[in-house]
Amino acid sequence: MNRQQLHSLLEEKYLQVSKKDFFMETDPIQIPHRFSRKEDIEIAGFIAATLAWGQRKTIINNASKWMAFMDDSPFEFITGHQPEDLKRFKGFVHRTFNETDALTFVESLKNLYAHHGGLEAAFAGTDPSADFATRLSNFKQLFFSSPHLPRTTKHVADPLAGSSAKRLCMYLRWMIRPANAGTDLGIWNSLSTADLYLPLDVHSGNVARRLGLLNRTQNDWKAVSELTQTLRKFDPVDPCKYDYALFGIGAFEKI
C-alpha cells in the first residue's frame, strides 16, 4: 500500500466510523453527551474517561452511577456538595478505582473550580510554550495539589513518566475536536486539534504497526509521539481524527 492508498484508507474509515450514531450506543462518550452546560459536559467527560478501561458496558454503567450520585448535575454537585452528600459513594468500585479514589476526585475537581479556573484552564496551563506531555504532567500535579492518598495518583497518567496517557488523550479529543466533525464535543478552544496526541491502546497500536505507521513496539509515550507525528503528515491540522480510522480498520478490515 503506497502513501496515497494509505491516506485514502484512513480518510475513508474516519468518515465511516466517526459518525455520532455509530458510537453513541456503546461508547463512554455518551456520558458527557447527556449534558448541555459546558461545566457539566467537561466534568462528566473527565469522570467517564477516567473509568474508561475494561468492558464498555461496565464503564458506562459505573459512570452513570457516578452521575446519579451527583444528582445528574455534576458542576453543582462538585462545587456545592456537603459532607453528608459524599456518603452516596460508599462501596463504589470500578476495577482498581474505589470509593476513596472517587472521593479524592470529587475534592480535587472542587479545588480546580474554586481556585484554578476549572478543568479547561487546568489542562491549558499557564505556560503557552509547554509541550503536550508537559501540559498533561502539570495537570496531574495540579489535580493532586489538594490533600489525597498516594494510591489515587495512579488513576491520572503522566507521560513524562513514560505513560501513553491514553485516557487523558481521549478525553482531550472529546473536549477539543469540533462537534460538527462527528462524535466529539468541541467545547474547549484553549487548545487546538493540531495540539492533540493520539489516544494509543493495544488495538490502535497493533493496527498502526501493521499499516507501517508505527515502528516502536512498546505502547508508551514515545510510541504516541511517533504515531502522532506520522499522522500529522496526512492531516497536520487534525491528526487525531485518525483514531477513528485505526479503530474502524481494526474492527472491520483484515489488515
Side-chain angles (χ1 to χ4, degrees), residues 124 214 249:
L214 176 62
I249 292 167

Side-chain angles (χ1 to χ4, degrees), residues 85-98:
D85 299 324
L86 300 178
K87 293 181 180 179
R88 306 173 188 181
F89 289 88
K90 185 174 180 59
F92 180 81
V93 62
H94 177 76
R95 297 174 72 90
T96 64
F97 192 102
N98 65 19

Side-chain angles (χ1 to χ4, degrees), residues 112-131:
L112 290 187
Y113 283 94
H115 303 293
H116 302 287
L119 274 164
E120 182 176 7
F123 272 103
T126 57
D127 182 3
S129 67
D131 63 27

Side-chain angles (χ1 to χ4, degrees), residues 5-21:
Q5 289 171 325
L6 182 54
H7 190 191
S8 296
L9 176 64
L10 291 173
E11 288 289 338
E12 175 190 345
K13 289 304 169 186
Y14 161 66
L15 292 173
Q16 175 186 346
V17 175
S18 64
K19 296 175 182 177
K20 184 181 292 187
D21 292 344

Side-chain angles (χ1 to χ4, degrees), residues 3 32 45 62-63 66-67 71 95 106 132 172 228 233 243:
R3 178 186 173 87
N62 284 334
W66 197 326
M67 297 303 107
D71 299 318
R95 297 174 72 90
V106 168
F132 195 77
L172 290 172
T228 303
K233 297 175 183 177
D243 184 32

Side-chain angles (χ1 to χ4, degrees), residues 143-176:
F143 188 76
F144 290 115
S145 60
S146 55
H148 64 279
L149 292 178
R151 63 154 281 123
T152 306
T153 61
K154 68 183 179 182
H155 293 298
V156 178
D158 184 351
L160 295 187
S163 171
S164 68
K166 184 251 184 180
R167 285 173 284 168
L168 288 181
C169 290
M170 180 182 69
Y171 173 65
L172 290 172
R173 194 203 78 205
W174 291 357
M175 296 298 105
I176 294 167

Side-chain angles (χ1 to χ4, degrees), residues 122 142 152 177 207 254:
L142 184 60
T152 306
R177 289 197 72 253
V207 171
K254 295 181 180 180

Side-chain angles (χ1 to χ4, degrees), residues 23-222:
F23 261 84
M24 289 297 290
E25 186 175 347
T26 60
D27 195 86
I29 199 173
Q30 68 175 257
I31 301 296
H33 267 287
R34 296 174 186 175
F35 302 94
S36 56
R37 184 178 183 175
K38 174 182 181 288
E39 292 83 1
D40 287 336
I41 293 169
E42 64 194 12
I43 292 170
F46 185 69
I47 291 167
T50 297
L51 300 182
W53 87 103
Q55 294 184 343
R56 287 186 172 197
K57 182 178 180 180
T58 303
I59 295 165
I60 292 167
N61 286 343
N62 284 334
S64 296
K65 286 180 184 177
W66 197 326
M67 297 303 107
F69 294 158
M70 299 190 296
D71 299 318
D72 288 313
S73 299
F75 181 63
E76 288 186 12
F77 184 90
I78 290 298
T79 57
H81 66 269
Q82 301 300 314
E84 185 74 14
D85 299 324
L86 300 178
K87 293 181 180 179
R88 306 173 188 181
F89 289 88
K90 185 174 180 59
F92 180 81
V93 62
H94 177 76
R95 297 174 72 90
T96 64
F97 192 102
N98 65 19
E99 170 189 346
T100 298
D101 303 318
L103 295 178
T104 298
F105 267 58
V106 168
E107 296 305 323
S108 294
L109 286 167
K110 181 177 182 179
N111 178 53
L112 290 187
Y113 283 94
H115 303 293
H116 302 287
L119 274 164
E120 182 176 7
F123 272 103
T126 57
D127 182 3
S129 67
D131 63 27
F132 195 77
T134 300
R135 287 176 188 262
L136 296 190
S137 183
N138 289 346
F139 168 78
K140 179 173 183 174
Q141 292 182 43
L142 184 60
F143 188 76
F144 290 115
S145 60
S146 55
H148 64 279
L149 292 178
R151 63 154 281 123
T152 306
T153 61
K154 68 183 179 182
H155 293 298
V156 178
D158 184 351
L160 295 187
S163 171
S164 68
K166 184 251 184 180
R167 285 173 284 168
L168 288 181
C169 290
M170 180 182 69
Y171 173 65
L172 290 172
R173 194 203 78 205
W174 291 357
M175 296 298 105
I176 294 167
R177 289 197 72 253
N180 61 10
T183 304
D184 297 307
L185 293 136
I187 62 169
W188 288 3
N189 56 24
S190 57
L191 295 169
S192 74
T193 55
D195 295 321
L196 294 174
Y197 278 66
L198 191 102
L200 180 68
D201 61 15
V202 172
H203 304 293
S204 60
N206 288 342
V207 171
R209 292 182 186 96
R210 290 197 293 271
L211 291 173
L213 298 169
L214 176 62
N215 292 317
R216 187 168 176 80
T217 57
Q218 187 175 347
N219 286 335
D220 56 10
W221 189 254
K222 288 183 179 180

